[in-house]
Amino acid sequence: MFPPVRHGLGLKMKTSEIRQRFLDYFAGRGHEVVPSSSLVPHGDPTLLFTNAGMVQFKHTFLGNEHRPYSTAVSSQKCVRAGGKHNDLENVGHTARHHTFFEMLGNFSFGDYFKKEAIAYAWDFLTRDLDIDPRRLFVTVFEEDDEAYDIWVDDIGIPKDRIARIGARDNFWSMGDTGPCGPCSEIFYDHGPEVAGGPPGTPDEDGDRFVEIWNLVFMQYNRDEDGTLSELPRPSVDTGMGLERIAAVMQGVHSNYDIDLFRNLIAAAASETGVKPGESEERDVSLRVLADHLRSVSFLLADGVLPSNEGRGFVLRRILRRACRHGRLLGMKEAFIYRLVDALVAEMGDHFTELKEARDNIRRVIRIEEERFIKTLDKGLKLVEQAVAEAGEGGTIPGRTLFTLYDTYGFPTDLTADILKGRNIRLDMDGFEICMDEQRQRARAAWGGSGESALPAAVFELREQHGATEFLGYSTLDAEGVITGLICGDQAVGEAGEGDEV
């Protein structure tokens, strides 16, 4: 008989309580509680946004930066809405895709390794959260006998609830070269009434088994010819989606049914006059509004402003997608800015930057909403006209897509979203030809922030003098003291006229 869900602890535990319980668990075991870093990954030109908990520790793992602690825990705010990690198209239509999410993680920088990391994860899930161990399924890298033996011999997990998986899913790399290593993933089994099979089977894409925690064991360094060598101080990097574990703990299958999202959806429903559950189409729009409200607000709080390139372009397209779903719910005036207060009520106690930037967030969202509403009607008419001209099964020309983008601010994914469910194709090749000049600029933006990689001397100076305190949430003007000079990639004691430092 399959074990029933234990609800005794979970239904009483809010998302905010799960976050705090995680931080407290590892703090009680000697981990430094490190605040979430900004969504703008300063000093990392390879990323558009912070998309995982390990991003702020990347230089620590690489050995370029030394911290006064060897173990850490965090709840990192993340955005995945562009480039390699792009969940934008699935948001609202699936149970677990978001543009903004929180990543719970514990980290070891050469302190403990596989045995302790696995024991911590199992203990937290089965003892602190009281999840029935019979509902947990585990994967390890197919060649990682060490992790497999720990799970079977030390933890006692049955062999029929552990699978060896290949490198595609269970071997993690920071890049083509550098630190890398095997993974061990923990899945929650929703039970036989949900379609799908365990990882490694033909039915693994079903919803029965949901990954909740990934333990990465960084034990190798990969050089340019692909050779793996053992790291002198192997490290641990883990990540567990807060929204996913909250869904497990609250006995729901969709992340959008957890308390945090229910409250944001209720606020959106109240503003739009829509009753949740009336139709799937309207529920999709309510979920999109709740999700996009989070990503837009947090990006604005971290200093990103709407623009036509780079991070600002992604922010603008997320907000415009939300505006369009508001229109689907009958809203013809700006209203999303009024939902910010509901978000601050849900998340402002932990992420105080939301409270501090609340007025600015509301103001910028309202300006963007009103600006887009002026062109939305004309753009929608052009879309419908293009659909009529293309006919069932036809194609909208690239020139039309370019006009929608260039004149009316419709990114092609917004046009595709409008046409979702219709048998209409988009001439993307023609669009790319029209976008040739803009495409070169966009490629540079998608590749990262456009800034240069920071030299090692920056981290050396930081260790000597401490990090710079960011005051931008409270003031636009501040005084500073020059504590070091870098010429090229070296720290220097002085600079003369004409030197670039």
Side-chain angles (χ1 to χ4, degrees):
M1 180 118 178
F2 194 78
V5 178
R6 288 182 185 167
H7 285 317
L9 193 62
L11 289 183
K12 300 176 184 177
M13 199 180 299
K14 296 180 179 179
T15 303
S16 58
E17 293 173 308
I18 296 171
R19 180 201 297 120
Q20 194 59 49
R21 188 176 283 249
F22 181 86
L23 296 174
D24 290 345
Y25 176 89
F26 285 98
R29 286 152 182 81
H31 291 62
E32 179 79 10
V33 179
V34 180
S36 171
S37 64
S38 169
L39 285 169
V40 179
H42 297 291
D44 190 341
T46 66
L47 288 176
L48 197 62
F49 299 113
T50 299
N51 58 18
M54 63 77 60
V55 170
Q56 68 166 312
F57 303 114
K58 181 175 179 179
H59 289 288
T60 307
F61 285 125
L62 288 170
N64 296 331
E65 177 186 41
H66 300 284
R67 298 190 178 224
Y69 46 83
S70 59
T71 58
V73 61
S74 70
S75 183
Q76 174 66 48
K77 52 191 179 184
C78 302
V79 162
R80 292 183 180 179
K84 177 183 177 182
H85 295 293
N86 187 359
D87 292 337
L88 186 60
E89 293 307 303
N90 295 314
V91 171
H93 296 278
T94 67
R96 283 172 287 279
H97 279 101
H98 306 291
T99 53
F100 175 94
F101 63 96
E102 279 185 71
M103 185 75 84
L104 304 173
N106 58 289
F107 308 89
S108 167
F109 313 113
D111 186 275
Y112 60 81
F113 201 43
K114 294 180 186 179
K115 187 171 184 176
E116 295 85 352
I118 290 172
Y120 283 147
W122 189 256
D123 184 57
F124 178 74
L125 292 175
T126 61
R127 188 178 66 83
D128 267 50
L129 297 188
D130 196 30
I131 295 175
D132 194 318
R134 293 173 295 174
R135 280 187 172 266
L136 297 177
F137 189 96
V138 171
T139 68
V140 298
F141 178 50
E142 59 189 358
E143 299 174 16
D144 191 356
D145 295 331
E146 181 184 5
Y148 183 89
D149 291 342
I150 292 171
W151 278 113
V152 173
D153 298 335
D154 295 2
I155 302 300
I157 193 166
K159 291 183 179 181
D160 63 355
R161 296 195 72 78
I162 183 169
R164 293 177 180 265
I165 305 293
R168 184 174 67 88
D169 292 319
N170 276 69
F171 195 93
W172 182 90
S173 300
M174 192 175 287
D176 294 335
T177 61
C180 57
C183 306
S184 183
E185 297 172 316
I186 303 174
F187 290 75
Y188 181 79
D189 183 353
H190 280 279
E193 66 275 11
V194 180
T201 68
D203 298 324
E204 66 179 359
D205 289 334
D207 283 338
R208 175 174 173 176
F209 293 84
V210 175
E211 180 196 340
I212 55 174
W213 205 342
N214 187 15
L215 316 178
V216 178
F217 310 123
M218 281 187 269
Q219 64 184 106
Y220 302 110
N221 184 70
R222 179 185 281 124
D223 61 25
E224 292 183 356
D225 64 7
T227 301
L228 296 177
S229 57
E230 292 275 354
L231 289 172
R233 300 180 68 207
S235 300
V236 171
D237 157 29
T238 84
M240 176 163 61
L242 175 60
E243 295 82 2
R244 289 192 179 195
I245 192 62
V248 168
M249 293 304 298
Q250 295 174 18
V252 296
H253 191 60
S254 170
N255 290 2
Y256 291 97
D257 290 331
I258 65 176
D259 62 317
L260 188 156
F261 270 111
R262 282 202 313 270
N263 293 337
L264 295 181
I265 288 172
S270 176
E271 283 289 343
T272 59
V274 172
K275 184 179 180 180
E278 284 183 341
S279 73
E280 177 59 21
E281 286 185 3
R282 292 192 161 202
D283 284 350
V284 166
S285 292
L286 288 174
R287 292 194 289 265
V288 168
L289 285 170
D291 173 272
H292 289 12
L293 171 69
R294 295 211 301 168
S295 54
V296 166
S297 298
F298 273 97
L299 285 170
L300 288 170
D302 279 347
V304 180
L305 291 173
S307 70
N308 287 326
E309 59 184 13
R311 297 185 179 105
F313 174 70
V314 177
L315 168 60
R316 176 168 281 167
R317 69 202 281 250
I318 294 173
L319 182 50
R320 289 187 170 185
R321 191 170 186 264
C323 290
R324 189 247 163 186
H325 279 274
R327 178 59 64 92
L328 291 177
L329 298 179
M331 301 301 290
K332 295 186 178 180
E333 297 179 352
F335 75 99
I336 297 172
Y337 73 96
R338 294 199 295 266
L339 302 177
V340 173
D341 289 346
L343 176 64
V344 172
E346 283 296 318
M347 304 184 72
D349 286 343
H350 184 76
F351 295 104
T352 56
E353 63 266 33
L354 282 179
K355 285 184 176 180
E356 295 165 358
R358 178 205 312 243
D359 292 342
N360 186 57
I361 293 170
R362 285 172 55 96
R363 182 167 55 251
V364 175
I365 290 178
R366 183 172 186 174
I367 292 171
E368 276 294 303
E369 281 190 273
E370 292 174 344
R371 182 178 296 165
F372 186 50
I373 286 169
K374 290 179 181 178
T375 61
L376 185 58
D377 284 330
K378 293 179 181 178
L380 289 174
K381 288 178 182 177
L382 185 57
V383 171
E384 291 304 322
Q385 179 183 337
V387 168
E389 293 174 355
E392 180 71 13
T395 300
I396 294 181
R399 177 66 61 183
T400 303
L401 296 175
F402 175 75
T403 301
L404 282 165
Y405 170 85
D406 192 52
T407 305
Y408 300 101
F410 275 49
T412 53
D413 59 351
L414 178 56
T415 305
D417 189 60
I418 293 170
L419 298 176
K420 203 175 188 75
R422 301 201 199 186
N423 185 21
I424 300 288
R425 292 186 297 274
L426 305 181
D427 175 20
M428 295 307 300
D429 290 339
F431 173 76
E432 292 294 351
I433 292 173
C434 295
M435 279 281 292
D436 188 49
E437 290 185 8
Q438 291 97 321
R439 183 176 60 194
Q440 299 304 319
R441 185 173 68 246
R443 276 180 177 168
W446 284 120
S449 62
E451 60 191 304
S452 300
L454 294 179
V458 170
F459 300 100
E460 295 170 3
L461 289 172
R462 179 187 174 186
E463 287 186 29
Q464 292 174 24
H465 304 288
T468 300
E469 181 183 2
F470 178 68
L471 304 175
Y473 294 130
S474 56
T475 180
L476 296 178
D477 299 290
E479 292 185 2
V481 176
I482 296 175
T483 57
L485 297 172
I486 296 175
C487 185
D489 59 358
Q490 300 293 321
V492 295
E494 59 183 29
E497 184 178 350
D499 290 345
E500 186 173 310
V501 296

